[in-house]
Short mmCIF file of all heavy atoms in Angstrom, two decimals:
data_model
loop_
_atom_site.label_atom_id
_atom_site.label_comp_id
_atom_site.label_asym_id
_atom_site.label_seq_id
_atom_site.Cartn_x
_atom_site.Cartn_y
_atom_site.Cartn_z
N ILE A 142 92.06 138.41 125.07
CA ILE A 142 92.95 139.55 125.36
C ILE A 142 92.31 140.38 126.42
O ILE A 142 91.13 140.79 126.33
CB ILE A 142 93.32 140.32 124.06
CG1 ILE A 142 94.08 139.39 123.16
CG2 ILE A 142 94.08 141.58 124.40
CD1 ILE A 142 94.45 139.95 121.81
N ASP A 143 93.12 140.66 127.47
CA ASP A 143 92.63 141.55 128.54
C ASP A 143 92.03 142.83 127.99
O ASP A 143 92.58 143.50 127.14
CB ASP A 143 93.84 141.85 129.46
CG ASP A 143 93.43 142.75 130.58
OD1 ASP A 143 92.84 142.21 131.59
OD2 ASP A 143 93.70 143.96 130.56
N ILE A 144 90.94 143.25 128.64
CA ILE A 144 90.19 144.45 128.15
C ILE A 144 91.00 145.71 128.20
O ILE A 144 90.93 146.52 127.31
CB ILE A 144 88.82 144.57 128.85
CG1 ILE A 144 87.96 145.56 128.09
CG2 ILE A 144 89.03 144.90 130.30
CD1 ILE A 144 86.47 145.48 128.44
N ASP A 145 91.83 145.81 129.20
CA ASP A 145 92.66 147.01 129.35
C ASP A 145 93.71 147.06 128.25
O ASP A 145 94.00 148.14 127.66
CB ASP A 145 93.27 147.06 130.74
CG ASP A 145 92.29 147.34 131.84
OD1 ASP A 145 91.26 148.08 131.53
OD2 ASP A 145 92.47 146.80 132.93
N ILE A 146 94.29 145.92 127.94
CA ILE A 146 95.34 145.85 126.89
C ILE A 146 94.65 146.13 125.55
O ILE A 146 95.17 146.87 124.67
CB ILE A 146 96.00 144.53 126.87
CG1 ILE A 146 96.91 144.43 128.15
CG2 ILE A 146 96.91 144.30 125.58
CD1 ILE A 146 97.52 143.08 128.42
N ALA A 147 93.39 145.55 125.34
CA ALA A 147 92.66 145.80 124.13
C ALA A 147 92.38 147.29 123.90
O ALA A 147 92.55 147.79 122.78
CB ALA A 147 91.37 145.01 124.16
N ARG A 148 92.05 147.93 124.93
CA ARG A 148 91.78 149.39 124.86
C ARG A 148 93.06 150.21 124.54
O ARG A 148 93.01 151.14 123.77
CB ARG A 148 91.12 149.91 126.14
CG ARG A 148 89.71 149.37 126.25
CD ARG A 148 88.93 149.93 127.42
NE ARG A 148 87.58 149.51 127.30
CZ ARG A 148 86.74 149.34 128.31
NH1 ARG A 148 87.13 149.65 129.49
NH2 ARG A 148 85.50 148.95 128.08
N ILE A 149 94.20 149.79 125.16
CA ILE A 149 95.41 150.45 124.80
C ILE A 149 95.76 150.27 123.34
O ILE A 149 96.14 151.25 122.64
CB ILE A 149 96.61 149.89 125.67
CG1 ILE A 149 96.34 150.41 127.13
CG2 ILE A 149 97.93 150.33 125.15
CD1 ILE A 149 97.22 149.71 128.15
N ILE A 150 95.60 149.05 122.80
CA ILE A 150 95.86 148.74 121.45
C ILE A 150 94.95 149.58 120.54
O ILE A 150 95.45 150.19 119.59
CB ILE A 150 95.74 147.24 121.10
CG1 ILE A 150 96.83 146.48 121.85
CG2 ILE A 150 95.75 146.99 119.64
CD1 ILE A 150 96.70 145.01 121.81
N ALA A 151 93.71 149.62 120.85
CA ALA A 151 92.76 150.34 120.02
C ALA A 151 93.08 151.82 120.01
O ALA A 151 93.08 152.45 118.90
CB ALA A 151 91.30 150.19 120.56
N GLU A 152 93.46 152.46 121.11
CA GLU A 152 93.87 153.86 121.13
C GLU A 152 95.12 154.10 120.31
O GLU A 152 95.14 155.08 119.60
CB GLU A 152 94.10 154.33 122.62
CG GLU A 152 92.83 154.53 123.33
CD GLU A 152 93.10 155.08 124.80
OE1 GLU A 152 94.25 155.65 125.02
OE2 GLU A 152 92.24 154.89 125.63
N LYS A 153 96.08 153.22 120.40
CA LYS A 153 97.32 153.39 119.62
C LYS A 153 97.06 153.21 118.20
O LYS A 153 97.59 153.93 117.37
CB LYS A 153 98.40 152.43 120.11
CG LYS A 153 98.87 152.75 121.51
CD LYS A 153 100.34 152.40 121.67
CE LYS A 153 100.91 152.98 122.92
NZ LYS A 153 101.20 154.36 122.84
N VAL A 154 96.16 152.29 117.76
CA VAL A 154 95.82 152.12 116.38
C VAL A 154 95.15 153.40 115.83
O VAL A 154 95.42 153.90 114.79
CB VAL A 154 94.95 150.87 116.15
CG1 VAL A 154 94.28 150.82 114.75
CG2 VAL A 154 95.81 149.62 116.35
N TRP A 155 94.21 153.94 116.67
CA TRP A 155 93.47 155.13 116.26
C TRP A 155 94.36 156.34 116.16
O TRP A 155 94.37 157.03 115.12
CB TRP A 155 92.39 155.39 117.28
CG TRP A 155 91.54 156.63 116.99
CD1 TRP A 155 91.78 157.92 117.29
CD2 TRP A 155 90.21 156.60 116.40
NE1 TRP A 155 90.79 158.72 116.87
CE2 TRP A 155 89.80 157.94 116.40
CE3 TRP A 155 89.40 155.63 115.95
CZ2 TRP A 155 88.58 158.32 115.88
CZ3 TRP A 155 88.17 156.05 115.43
CH2 TRP A 155 87.73 157.36 115.39
N TYR A 156 95.16 156.57 117.22
CA TYR A 156 95.92 157.82 117.26
C TYR A 156 97.31 157.73 116.57
O TYR A 156 97.74 158.58 115.82
CB TYR A 156 96.17 158.29 118.68
CG TYR A 156 94.92 158.82 119.32
CD1 TYR A 156 94.38 158.10 120.42
CD2 TYR A 156 94.34 159.95 118.86
CE1 TYR A 156 93.22 158.60 121.00
CE2 TYR A 156 93.14 160.43 119.46
CZ TYR A 156 92.59 159.74 120.52
OH TYR A 156 91.46 160.21 121.10
N ASP A 157 98.03 156.61 116.84
CA ASP A 157 99.44 156.50 116.28
C ASP A 157 99.39 155.88 114.90
O ASP A 157 100.33 156.33 114.10
CB ASP A 157 100.28 155.62 117.17
CG ASP A 157 100.40 156.18 118.61
OD1 ASP A 157 100.01 157.39 118.78
OD2 ASP A 157 100.90 155.47 119.54
N LEU A 158 98.56 155.03 114.57
CA LEU A 158 98.55 154.42 113.25
C LEU A 158 97.58 155.23 112.32
O LEU A 158 97.73 155.17 111.12
CB LEU A 158 98.13 152.93 113.32
CG LEU A 158 98.25 152.10 112.07
CD1 LEU A 158 99.67 152.06 111.60
CD2 LEU A 158 97.77 150.67 112.34
#
Side-chain angles (χ1 to χ4, degrees):
I142 294 178
D143 178 80
I144 194 160
D145 292 327
I146 293 172
R148 289 185 172 154
I149 290 168
I150 293 170
E152 283 183 22
K153 292 214 169 279
V154 166
W155 180 280
Y156 290 115
D157 298 349
L158 191 59

